[in-house]
Every structure is written in structure tokens, then in C-alpha cells.
Amino acid sequence: MSTPYDGKVALWHWKGTSVSENTIEEFARTIKQWAPHVTQVWVKTSDGDDWMGRYDSDPELAINGPDDIARWVRVLEANGMEFHAWCVPKGVNVNAEADIIIQTCNVPGVRSMILDVEPYS
């Protein structure tokens, strides 16, 4: 069975304050310059029932909802890269977590959602 990851090289992105770039465009340029074989960027979109922006104060790179995801998709696609989302579900507020995941997956251009299920309470 094929997957969206076959034959691809990906980069895992946690949050905007963890990189020195100030915009998605700069981030994409840096990837193309230093890691030209990267074809996918996996961006953390939520943690539990919160958008990742709650934990990321970067005004340009933070994910606070579908509009931010759409911006990421547009910029990455313009630079020959795919957007893949990842999140950390906690199982505390399942309906709210599922709602954020569904909103993320419904943004055109989101190729997959990776669930980072961690072994903590």
C-alpha cells in the first residue's frame, strides 16, 4: 500500500519561535537553500484542544486556525513543498481535539495529519 510519504524527504517543524526566520517565505527559502531535497514540511498545528499558537508567540509562523494553515500551504506549495500537519492529542477533551484536527484536515492542500501520541498522562 502506498503512503503520502513514499519517496519523500520531510522536515518536522515544531513552532515559529524555534527558528530564526520571521516569515513562512523566509523559512521556505532557508529549506530550499540548505536542504534542497526536502519535499514535505510537517507543521505542528495543535496540542490537545489548543491551536499550537497558544504555545507559539511568533506572529507570522504560529498556527492559530485554518487561515494560518492555508497561508503555510500556499507558501510551501509555491516553493515545491507539501504541507503535512501533526498534532499531539491528549484525550482530555476529545470533541474539542477532534474539532481542531477536522478543521486542519479540511484546509485544501493539507496532505496528511500525523498523530503524535505520547506516553504521558
Side-chain angles (χ1 to χ4, degrees):
M1 176 178 6
S2 66
T3 74
Y5 319 107
D6 293 348
K8 307 289 179 136
V9 177
L11 182 136
W12 190 272
H13 176 68
W14 173 41
K15 63 182 185 176
T17 55
S18 68
V19 297
S20 61
E21 290 76 17
N22 295 313
T23 66
I24 304 166
E25 291 83 358
E26 288 178 18
F27 185 71
R29 277 195 302 272
T30 298
I31 294 169
K32 289 180 70 83
Q33 178 181 0
W34 298 103
H37 297 290
V38 168
T39 57
Q40 300 177 333
V41 179
W42 302 349
V43 178
K44 187 172 184 186
T45 54
S46 60
D47 194 284
D49 59 359
D50 294 307
W51 289 104
M52 191 55 196
R54 177 172 184 205
Y55 309 99
D56 186 359
S57 60
D58 189 293
E60 295 295 320
L61 299 171
I63 301 288
N64 290 296
D67 290 342
D68 293 327
I69 296 168
R71 280 187 314 110
W72 272 90
V73 168
R74 281 192 304 276
V75 172
L76 291 178
E77 286 181 349
N79 285 278
M81 292 177 267
E82 301 172 354
F83 180 98
H84 293 262
W86 69 281
C87 70
V88 177
K90 295 183 177 176
V92 176
N93 186 347
V94 175
N95 289 336
E97 290 180 33
D99 182 56
I100 290 175
I101 292 169
I102 291 165
Q103 288 182 61
T104 298
C105 293
N106 281 328
V107 174
V110 172
R111 303 292 183 103
S112 72
M113 169 59 80
I114 301 162
L115 303 179
D116 178 2
V117 179
E118 298 184 354
Y120 310 107
S121 59

